[in-house]
Amino acid sequence: MERPAWAPRSIDISVPSVSRMYDYYLGGSHNFEVDREAARRAMEFMPGLPKIMQANRAFMRRAVRYAAGQGITQFLDIGSGIPTFGNVHEVAQAASPGARVMYVDHDPVAVAHSQAVLEGNADAGIVAADLRKPQDVLSSVELERLIDLNQPVALLLVAILHFVEDEDDPYGAVAELGEALAPGSLLVLTHASYEGIPLPQERAGGAVSVYEDIRSPLIMRSREEIARFFEGYDMVEPGLVAMPCWRPDTAPEDEDPYAFSGFAGVGRTA
Ligand SMILES: C[S@@+](CC[C@H](N)C(=O)[O-])C[C@H]1O[C@@H](n2cnc3c(N)ncnc32)[C@H](O)[C@@H]1O
């Protein structure tokens, strides 16, 4: 297969990547046939997967606007993905000119494409790092350049924590990042769950097993387990809710039933 210019040499393009599958669900063009094939298999079980991803992006944009409205001018987006329509830096810098955005991802295509998109934007950057090693993020040169940890930051962990298995201590990683944040910072998070999916669990489980097959297990957590990520934060109203119900711009009743899968929330450090 011919390797497109945006695909770094280091990647194995015979193995699906969750980042490129997500790009495919959202209608992007930075994916290969292996990614599309795996995504289509998951969609055989859950045809509404793209609706979930769209609801996730819409929540993320509302949360960034909310943060900007609260006076936050620094954004740390971990698991930022392959840039697509309405990225954090676009929304944040439109709402608050000069806002600084640091993206982090461990997927080489997400990193390479972000570098291309951000060229010439002095207020945004991308670092290749792993959420499971928070110190790599916190001690990076790019973070020092873009983010002043003495001032409030919006930390985005949007649709990433469900890729971190319990044995890799996702709660410890979130706590370590939280400890580095100044008072008044926000934690913005979404997470997959069987709760809210408009399908019997065994059917939704078929889609989850596709991720297991490609060795990027999707960890479905309960609302209670997801709420634990916010320990020590004050929840911003309306709390941890289905994505369309978090400070909606349009009536949640008009949303597709799949959009109510999983949870979204924003917490504020005291
Ligand atoms: C579903 S995408 C979400 C993208 C974006 N946050 C959004 O919600 O639109 C998940 C991203 O998290 C990244 N990711 C998964 N595990 C990660 C880890 N341990 N460290 C850094 N990035 C990770 C993947 O590479 C992928 O790009």
Side-chain angles (χ1 to χ4, degrees), residues 7 14 16 56 107-108 132 135 140 168 181 189 198 200 255 259-261:
S14 67
N56 179 67
D107 181 283
R132 293 168 294 186
Q135 283 311 320
S140 77
D168 287 328
L181 301 179
L189 184 155
E255 296 280 346
F260 295 83
S261 312

Side-chain angles (χ1 to χ4, degrees), residues 18-19 22 26 53 56-57 60 77-82 84 104-107 110 129-132 157-160 162-164 190:
V18 294
S19 196
Y22 184 69
L26 286 171
M53 314 307 170
N56 179 67
R57 297 287 298 178
M60 186 186 81
D77 181 5
I78 307 184
S80 46
I82 295 171
T84 179
V104 178
D105 207 290
H106 70 172
D107 181 283
D130 196 309
L131 169 62
R132 293 168 294 186
L157 297 174
V158 179
I160 178 175
H162 46 234
F163 293 115
V164 183
T190 63

Side-chain angles (χ1 to χ4, degrees), residues 84-101:
T84 179
F85 169 75
N87 291 298
V88 169
H89 72 283
E90 292 161 340
V91 179
Q93 292 175 348
S96 173
R100 291 183 307 283
V101 179

Side-chain angles (χ1 to χ4, degrees), residues 122-187:
D123 293 323
I126 170 96
V127 168
D130 196 309
L131 169 62
R132 293 168 294 186
K133 295 181 182 159
Q135 283 311 320
D136 288 359
V137 176
L138 294 170
S139 64
S140 77
V141 175
E142 197 65 351
L143 185 127
E144 203 177 320
R145 180 176 82 83
L146 288 166
I147 309 278
D148 176 0
L149 287 172
N150 295 312
Q151 299 297 323
V153 172
L155 168 63
L156 278 73
L157 297 174
V158 179
I160 178 175
L161 282 164
H162 46 234
F163 293 115
V164 183
E165 297 177 78
D166 284 344
E167 65 199 55
D168 287 328
D169 194 17
Y171 293 99
V174 173
E176 207 172 325
L177 289 165
E179 276 159 25
L181 301 179
S185 295
L186 298 176
L187 171 62

Side-chain angles (χ1 to χ4, degrees), residues 10-59:
S10 57
I11 65 169
D12 179 353
I13 55 180
S14 67
V15 180
S17 110
V18 294
S19 196
R20 300 191 313 252
M21 284 168 72
Y22 184 69
D23 178 70
Y24 173 68
Y25 293 131
L26 286 171
S29 55
H30 292 80
N31 49 72
F32 299 112
E33 188 49 35
V34 276
D35 308 309
R36 297 189 280 276
E37 202 268 327
R40 284 193 291 256
R41 254 189 309 132
M43 281 163 67
E44 277 169 24
F45 295 100
M46 284 181 67
L49 275 170
K51 299 284 181 199
I52 302 178
M53 314 307 170
Q54 286 159 15
N56 179 67
R57 297 287 298 178
F59 159 77

